[in-house]
Amino acid sequence: MQYFMQFMIKGGFMCTHTPKITGVSEGGSAVFKVNYFKEHTASLAQSPQLYKQMLINGGINRVFEIGPVFRAEDSNTHRHLCEYIGLHAEMQIKEHYFEVIDFVDSLFVDIFDHLAKNCSEMLDMIQEQYPCERLKYLQQNVRLKYSEGIEMLQESGFPIQEPQDLNNKAELMLGKLVLQKYKTDFFILYEYPLALRPFYTMPSAEKRQPGSYSNSFDAFIRGQEVLSGSQRIHDKSLLIKMIDERGYNKTTFQQFSNTFGCGAPPRGGFGVGLERLVMLYLGVPDFRIASLFPRDPGRLAP
C-alpha cells in the first residue's frame, strides 16, 4: 500500500476519500443495506467508481483512493471477502486507453521491484511457512487480447467460447499457458466483450464488430485476476443509453449522469484488491492469510 501511494503521488494523482455510506450502487454486486434515518435507503459502498468519475468531471486530472470496499456476497471461497481494502485510481486520457494500461504496467513493476529489493528478509520468512516460487515478471509485461486468451485456451483443449467470461479454472489454465510461453506470472488481458463489463465501460471502436467489445482490461497474477479497469464512457447520451440497456433505473444514477452535462474529458481507471494482491504475490492459498482481520460470511470477530 505504501509503494502504491508513493507511485500515485509521484505520478501526479490527488489522494481522495469518497463516502462509504451511499444511496447509489454501481450495480453488479450485492450490497449491505444500512438503516439510515427516515425516508432514506442506504448501503455500504461497493466501489468509489462513480465518485472518482465525478471528480474527473470536476476538473481533477488524476485521483486515487485507498479505502474499504464492501461486498455482500455469501461466498466462502479462498478469494472472497465481505470487506477488503481497495486501491482505486482514475485519470484523464489524452489519446488512447492504453495510457491507463501503460500506467498499470509501470505501477506493478515498481511495486514488485520495491518488494524484491526492500522486503527480501520478510519474504524469506513467509516462504518458510508457505513455500512458493518467487513471482516471475517482466519489465515490459505481456498484453493479450481477450480473444487471444480464448484462442490459447482452446488450443490447449480447454472448453471455452467467446463471449464467455473466464471462470476460476479458465484463469488458472491461462496463467499456466502464459507462464510456459512468456515466462511471466503477471500479464494483462484486454478488449473484453462489452456484455461482460459494467454499464459505464466504453465500447470498442474495432471494425470487426463495433460495439460488441470494449476498451477494458484485467491484470492477472499466477493465473488469477488481481485488477480490473477500463476506459469509461464520457458522453452523457451514450451513458444514459447504456444505463437503459442494462435495465437500471435512470433516476438512481441521475446525480452521477448530470455531472457529464457540461462536457467531460475522456478517462479511464482501475481497481485493485489489496488483500488479493498480497495473496497472489506471495502465493499463499487464501485471502484470510493476507488480511489482518478478515471479514467473510461467517466471521465478525475479532
Side-chain angles (χ1 to χ4, degrees):
M1 185 179 67
Q2 177 183 338
Y3 297 142
F4 173 82
M5 182 178 292
Q6 290 174 352
F7 193 86
M8 301 307 287
I9 293 172
K10 185 178 178 180
F13 284 73
M14 178 184 290
C15 182
T16 62
H17 296 284
T18 59
K20 300 303 168 234
I21 300 176
T22 178
V24 179
S25 164
E26 69 174 74
S29 299
V31 297
F32 288 105
K33 298 295 183 182
V34 177
N35 292 326
Y36 198 73
F37 307 109
K38 300 176 181 178
E39 302 176 4
H40 292 285
T41 300
S43 61
L44 297 180
Q46 60 181 199
S47 167
Q49 177 56 47
L50 305 186
Y51 292 108
K52 288 189 303 174
Q53 290 207 58
M54 293 166 73
L55 292 170
I56 296 291
N57 292 348
I60 304 175
N61 293 339
R62 294 183 164 197
V63 298
F64 80 95
E65 176 171 343
I66 300 174
V69 174
F70 302 92
R71 298 288 170 93
E73 298 175 356
D74 191 6
S75 178
N76 289 284
T77 73
H78 74 285
R79 50 186 281 172
H80 282 91
L81 289 174
C82 295
E83 178 183 356
Y84 63 89
I85 301 299
L87 313 177
H88 293 271
E90 204 78 12
M91 57 186 277
Q92 287 191 20
I93 294 172
K94 295 180 180 178
E95 295 183 5
H96 197 278
Y97 82 101
F98 273 20
E99 295 165 30
V100 187
I101 296 181
D102 290 341
F103 185 86
V104 167
D105 196 347
S106 299
L107 167 66
F108 273 80
V109 168
D110 185 77
I111 290 174
F112 297 156
D113 284 348
H114 271 290
L115 291 172
K117 179 181 178 181
N118 301 315
C119 302
S120 182
E121 184 177 345
M122 286 188 284
L123 293 173
D124 289 340
M125 292 172 62
I126 293 168
Q127 286 187 322
E128 286 183 14
Q129 188 169 3
Y130 300 100
C132 184
E133 287 191 23
R134 290 286 179 94
L135 186 79
K136 295 181 176 68
Y137 64 97
L138 307 172
Q139 291 299 308
Q140 180 67 48
N141 285 287
V142 174
R143 302 177 189 182
L144 300 168
K145 287 186 176 182
Y146 160 88
S147 57
E148 293 172 329
I150 295 295
E151 186 176 340
M152 288 179 66
L153 287 168
Q154 291 173 337
E155 289 175 353
S156 74
F158 192 91
I160 192 170
Q161 298 288 335
E162 291 195 48
Q164 285 179 256
D165 203 357
L166 274 64
N167 59 24
N168 295 351
K169 291 182 179 179
E171 287 184 0
L172 289 169
M173 176 57 73
L174 184 58
K176 291 179 181 178
L177 296 172
V178 170
L179 179 60
Q180 290 171 4
K181 184 173 182 178
Y182 299 103
K183 311 304 179 188
T184 178
D185 288 309
F186 177 75
F187 66 96
I188 294 171
L189 206 62
Y190 67 96
E191 203 176 88
Y192 279 76
L194 184 61
L196 301 179
R197 311 302 285 199
F199 72 88
Y200 48 77
T201 306
M202 178 66 78
S204 172
E206 281 273 332
K207 293 182 179 179
R208 51 180 178 162
Q209 285 179 289
S212 60
Y213 290 84
S214 63
N215 293 352
S216 60
F217 58 92
D218 287 346
F220 296 82
I221 296 178
R222 303 186 195 272
Q224 296 188 63
E225 177 199 324
V226 69
L227 172 150
S228 188
S230 70
Q231 180 181 354
R232 326 301 194 184
I233 294 172
H234 59 276
D235 177 82
K236 183 179 180 180
S237 59
L238 178 57
L239 181 63
I240 292 174
K241 178 175 179 288
M242 295 301 294
I243 291 172
D244 275 339
E245 288 184 1
R246 296 296 175 93
Y248 298 139
N249 186 338
K250 284 187 291 187
T251 303
T252 302
F253 295 98
Q254 188 171 359
Q255 288 188 339
F256 169 64
S257 61
N258 281 350
T259 65
F260 294 80
C262 295
R267 83 288 305 278
F270 59 88
V272 186
L274 178 61
E275 292 87 348
R276 182 174 292 199
L277 173 58
V278 173
M279 178 188 79
L280 295 176
Y281 177 80
L282 296 176
V284 297
D286 197 294
F287 258 6
R288 295 160 186 82
I289 299 170
S291 176
L292 188 60
F293 299 110
R295 289 291 177 262
D296 58 33
R299 189 187 313 228
L300 272 174

